[in-house]
Amino acid sequence: MDRLPGTLVGTDSHTTMINGLGVVGWGVGGIEAEACMLGQPCSMLLPPVVGFKLFGKLPEGCTATDLVLTVTQMLRKKGVVGKFVEFYGAGLTQLSVADRATIANMAPEYGATIGFFPWMRYPRLPAHLESGFARDRTGGSLFEGANAFRTDETPDPFSAIRWNSTFPP
C-alpha cells in the first residue's frame, strides 16, 4: 500500500469498530481526549504489529459469531496484549463490513490495542457513496491512484497467525 490510513482517537468502548473500515482508531482516556479537543497533539509509541492471515470462507452453518469467538480465542492464545493486529489475506473478501467491524470491536477482548482491516474495493458502491469519492484529473478515484485498496492479488504484508475455515482451529 502506498498510503497511510486515516486515524482517530475516541473515548467510547466501540471506537475500535472503525478499524474494520480501514481507519486506525483507538480509545484514549478523558485527559488525553480533552487535550486533543484543546488542540494538543496526541502522541503514542507504535506497538509491534501481529499479522493474522485469513483465507478460505466460512463453512456451511458457521456464523459470524463463530468466527469472532474463534479469532478472539486464537489471539488470546498468541498473546497480543498492547499490540496492533492486522488482518490480511484472500479470506477478507468473504467477510462483510459488519463482520470486520465486529472482529475489530473485539480488540479489547483479545487484548490488542486495535484489530485493523485494510480498505477494500467492493463490487459496487451505492450511488450516494460512489459520487462522493474524490476524483483525480483523469476521472479515476484518488484512492485507486494511491493504490489504497486491498485486493485478492495484494501481496501478504507478513506472515503470522493463519486461519482457514476449519472448526475447531
Side-chain angles (χ1 to χ4, degrees):
M1 231 183 266
D2 300 330
R3 57 113 190 139
L4 294 173
T7 59
L8 72 87
V9 294
T11 59
D12 182 77
S13 63
H14 299 291
T15 297
T16 53
M17 288 184 91
I18 196 71
N19 296 305
L21 298 175
V23 175
V24 175
W26 63 93
V28 297
I31 293 173
E32 292 93 341
E34 190 173 325
C36 286
M37 288 187 289
L38 295 172
Q40 296 298 309
C42 180
S43 62
M44 151 182 203
L45 296 175
L46 290 178
V49 177
V50 174
F52 193 110
K53 185 172 185 173
L54 296 163
F55 55 98
K57 64 180 186 173
L58 293 175
E60 188 77 28
C62 183
T63 67
T65 301
D66 296 325
L67 171 64
V68 170
L69 293 175
T70 301
V71 167
T72 299
Q73 178 184 16
M74 292 174 74
L75 288 170
R76 280 183 178 170
K77 188 175 183 179
K78 176 72 176 172
V80 296
V81 173
K83 298 177 181 170
F84 282 7
V85 174
E86 181 175 349
F87 295 91
Y88 67 100
L92 293 177
T93 307
Q94 303 300 317
L95 298 177
S96 69
V97 173
D99 294 343
R100 292 167 35 164
T102 301
I103 294 169
N105 192 51
M106 293 292 283
E109 300 300 322
Y110 46 81
T113 302
I114 68 167
F116 179 75
F117 287 84
W119 285 12
M120 293 176 60
R121 165 66 77 192
Y122 289 94
R124 185 166 187 274
L125 290 172
H128 70 283
L129 291 178
E130 188 67 43
S131 64
F133 274 108
R135 300 283 170 193
D136 65 16
R137 292 178 196 199
T138 64
S141 166
L142 292 178
F143 293 110
E144 291 164 345
N147 194 24
F149 289 111
R150 187 224 153 262
T151 68
D152 286 344
E153 289 76 39
T154 301
D156 292 346
F158 37 22
S159 62
I161 301 170
R162 292 169 50 112
W163 179 81
N164 184 19
S165 68
T166 49
F167 281 88

